[in-house]
Each structure stands twice: as C-alpha cells, then as structure tokens.
Amino acid sequence: MSSFPARAVIDLAAIRANVRSLASHAPTAQVLAVVKADAYGHGLLPVAQAAVDAGATWLGVAQLGEALELRAHGVTTRLLTWLYAPGAPLGQAVAADVDLSVAAPWALDEVVAAARAVGRPARVHLKVDTGLGRNGLTPAQLPDVLDAALRAEAEGAVQVVGLWSHLAFADEPDHPAVRAQAVVFAEALALVEGRGARLEVRHLANSAATLTSPELHYDLVRPGIAVYGLSPVPQLGGPADFGLTPAMTLEAELVTVKEVPAGQGVSYAHAYVTPGTTTLGVVPLGYADGVPRHASGAADRPGGPLLVGGRRLSVAGRVCMDQVVVDLGPGAPDRAGDRVELFGTGAAGGPTAQDWADVAETISYEIVTRVGGRVPRVHVDSERDEAVAEPQAEGAAR
Ligand SMILES: *Cc1c(COP(=O)(O)O)cnc(C)c1O
C-alpha cells in the first residue's frame, strides 16, 4: 500500500457496466471509448482493458503518446488519435496500426510522408469542422484535402476510413447549432462518398449525443465522460437516469482531529471562523491533488462537500496546496485515521464529482481529470471483489 494518505479508487466493473449501457443506447453503432487524458484521470491501461472487455471495439485518445502506450501494452483494439503538431512521429503511429485524424492540409502531407517511409498505408479519418470552430477542415478546405487523400489512397499511401466531426452544443440537444452541425456533416459526407471514398465509419456523437440524440449515432459513437459514469447533461439527468455509475471514488484519511474554541480562524486568510466551540479535521488533499481552490468555504458559502462518518459536511476555509480543513461539529466522534469521501457513486448521501463541479462552477470532467498525479489510483473490481492492480501514481504509467 502506498503511504499517501488518500487515493482514487476506480471500480472497473462500473466502467464495464457503463460501456454496456452506452452500447444499449446506441444499438446500431460501434462504441469508441474515449480514454484520453489518462482515461479522464482513471488510469489509461486498466480502463482501456475494461472498456474492451465490455464490448468497445474502438478506443480514442487525443495524444499520440497515449495511443502508442496502449499498443506497447498489447492493446490491439482499433485506436484513433487526433491531436498532433507538425513533426510528430506519425510513422510510429502508422507502424503501430493507429488510425490518424487529419484535421488540416499539412497533416495529410505529413501522414502521407510517414506512410511512404514506413511502407504501409496510414488509416485516416478526415475531420470536418462542422461548426465547433476548433479543430478540423473547414467545409471550404475539405474538397482539396479529400482529393489529395484519394490520390494518396490510389497510390497505396493512405486509406480514407473515416469522416468525423465534433459538436459544440451536444449537451443542449435542442440547441439549433446541433441541427446545423448535423446538416453540415451530412453535406460533407455526401461530398466524400460522392467522390468515391469507401468509409468504414462516420462518427459525430460524444457522450451527450450518444445519450440524447440517436439520429447522430451514425456508425460509431465516441463517449468519454459517460464511460466514467458521470452525466454529460447534468441539467437533464444524473448518472442513474442514463444507466450509469460513477467509477471513481476519491477518499482520504483524517490526519488531525482537534477541539477548538469559538472564533478560531481556519486555514489561510481565515476565510472561515468557527461559530462556536467545535472540532476541526484536516484532510490531506489539496489543490495540488486537484481539489479546486474555487471550492474553498467561507462563513456565507459552504465549500466542497465531504462525507465523514456518514455525515455530509463541507470544506471550511481555503483549500490549500496539500490539505483542506473540515468543521466536524462540536463533540464530533471522528478520529485521526477515519475515512473521508470527497466524491464517489453518490450512494448513502455521499457527494459526487458533479457536486464538486457545482460548487467550483465547473464541469465534472474537470473534477476527475484534475486529480493529481501524486494521488494513487487503486483499481478494484466490485464484480470480482478484489484489487486488480497495485496503487499507481498517474504519472508513473506514462
Ligand atoms: C473528448 C472527446 C470526446 C468525448 O467527449 P465526452 O463529452 O467526454 O463524451 C469525443 N470526441 C472528441 C473529439 C473528443 O475530444
């Protein structure tokens, strides 16, 4: 066991159940589980394996390095990566049978050059910017890049296997921008197929669209946050409403419990002052571990929620780099060493990553992906009821 007094426990059975649930929401599509950013902080390799075990036939990562790491560890599932800069080692991706997104004219040139050098065709997904205004070929750029890609295909340097795009308002399914992007995507598709591309997969849907917009599923859905059991549309429903279970529980042990008098200022700048005689507990997780400093508590504003001894409490005063303080109340029974849950499945009144997101005015994605590299990830399997991996710092896997 790590000596670190806190950990993120990841239930791989929840990951598997979530992937199955997503597949049932998109029965006509394959599932690409997005495992970028160290599987949203949950641990790349164990999550990727669990997703594949549950039927994901594709995996997706933003960074090439994560794709190569999956291959280096024997993951043979179809794999798409999409964010690289000029000069990236694309030959390694081609040699490792990693599908590459092409989102700019220069990218096609580099993919073709890499494929020629390696001596095998690169599998390419053309990315169209249908309205997100981020990555992707504009509809104006698409025809020329498509023609160049089809020439490279004729020569054996690439296979144009996919056309894809990404939504700006998927979490607001009724927003007119969703419909507008779908129209642009359909037009791009007609162009690409009309010029003779034989696509394997057309894909547009992230978690939100997978759960709420079946008309956008096409051949492949690309859920990320829902794989981890968090709702992409918290205003429309929580995880349980979509058949999802949060996979990560962030927990720690109290390192100090002590009685203090009324009027005790708590943590930096005394943003919280004890209203009466009470008990303070110190929790050894802070903003270096991903606890948002925006979830600090003050007299008029409770901080991030915590479950201690079955009671739902909140951070008192400023979130520090390594620790937070909780007001346990007068005569509290808690002891140093007792377990504190910052977030988890939400069962038994416990807080969730969404609750932290609400307090910090952000999204649950940021809460789980920010859990720091020094916090050990402990992978468990509630179906098999055993730890499946030694605690491992996030950074150590890279
Ligand atoms: C991150 C990402 C996804 C997954 O998004 P979620 O909202 O987490 O489901 C899908 N596609 C692309 C291109 C992404 O960058």
Side-chain angles (χ1 to χ4, degrees):
M1 232 359 218
S2 162
S3 67
F4 197 81
R7 66 211 60 80
V9 180
I10 290 99
D11 184 0
L12 297 174
I15 299 281
R16 291 197 303 270
N18 294 334
V19 168
R20 285 192 211 104
S21 182
L22 286 158
S24 74
H25 277 95
T28 61
Q30 298 183 70
V31 174
L32 177 152
V34 178
V35 292
K36 64 189 179 186
D38 200 34
Y40 289 44
H42 293 61
L44 176 64
L45 295 170
V47 168
Q49 192 57 57
V52 170
D53 287 348
T57 49
W58 288 72
L59 297 169
V61 288
Q63 299 294 342
L64 183 52
E66 290 188 304
L68 296 175
E69 187 182 342
L70 287 165
R71 285 288 185 257
H73 286 84
V75 175
T76 57
T77 311
R78 275 265 164 260
L79 197 48
L80 172 64
T81 188
W82 56 80
L83 206 56
Y84 52 88
L90 299 182
Q92 291 181 40
V94 176
D97 195 24
V98 172
D99 289 24
L100 290 163
S101 173
V102 163
W106 68 261
L108 181 66
D109 296 341
E110 295 210 4
V111 170
V112 168
R116 284 188 186 132
V118 172
R120 66 181 279 179
R123 291 171 49 88
V124 163
H125 299 233
L126 296 176
K127 183 154 196 189
V128 200
D129 183 352
T130 54
L132 175 57
R134 196 175 69 180
N135 217 353
L137 301 160
T138 64
Q141 288 176 311
L142 178 62
D144 285 353
V145 174
L146 171 65
D147 286 345
L150 292 174
R151 282 196 301 275
E153 185 167 76
E155 170 213 315
V158 307
Q159 295 168 349
V160 180
V161 299
L163 184 79
W164 73 307
S165 189
H166 195 46
L167 296 165
F169 283 93
D171 54 343
E172 296 178 42
D174 297 328
H175 196 287
V178 177
R179 177 71 48 84
Q181 284 195 257
V183 168
V184 177
F185 190 66
E187 288 167 358
L189 202 50
L191 175 81
V192 169
E193 292 186 329
R195 293 203 185 174
R198 294 172 310 279
L199 301 176
E200 285 176 23
V201 284
R202 307 158 296 170
H203 47 111
L204 182 59
N206 59 2
S207 293
T210 301
L211 295 173
T212 67
S213 302
E215 72 282 6
L216 303 181
H217 288 170
Y218 286 97
D219 308 307
L220 183 67
V221 292
R222 302 191 310 268
I225 197 70
V227 168
Y228 308 97
L230 299 169
S231 173
V233 285
Q235 79 285 11
L236 299 181
D241 297 312
F242 298 109
L244 304 171
T245 306
M248 182 190 287
T249 297
L250 183 64
E251 61 178 32
E253 279 88 49
L254 287 171
V255 294
T256 292
V257 176
K258 64 187 181 191
E259 301 299 320
V260 297
Q264 172 69 56
V266 173
S267 189
Y268 292 127
H270 288 176
Y272 177 81
V273 177
T274 56
T277 302
T278 192
T279 316
L280 296 180
V282 177
V283 180
L285 284 171
Y287 60 77
D289 307 300
V291 178
R293 194 166 173 279
H294 276 87
S296 295
D300 55 345
R301 181 185 185 275
L306 304 157
L307 194 70
V308 189
R311 282 129 55 221
R312 190 160 166 146
L313 304 168
S314 57
V315 169
R318 294 269 167 88
V319 173
C320 309
M321 185 183 294
D322 311 297
Q323 43 200 313
V324 299
V325 182
V326 52
D327 185 342
L328 297 165
D334 312 291
R335 297 279 172 269
D338 284 0
R339 178 176 181 276
V340 179
E341 184 173 309
L342 283 82
F343 59 81
T345 62
T352 62
Q354 184 63 48
D355 293 331
W356 278 85
D358 292 343
V359 173
E361 294 176 21
T362 182
I363 53 177
S364 62
Y365 298 64
E366 192 176 355
I367 300 299
V368 291
T369 56
R370 278 170 57 129
V371 173
R374 72 178 175 182
V375 177
R377 269 54 171 187
V378 180
H379 292 94
V380 299
D381 193 322
S382 62
E383 277 177 2
R384 297 172 200 155
D385 202 26
E386 63 192 19
V388 294
E390 285 300 300
Q392 181 187 53
E394 178 186 6
R398 302 270 177 91

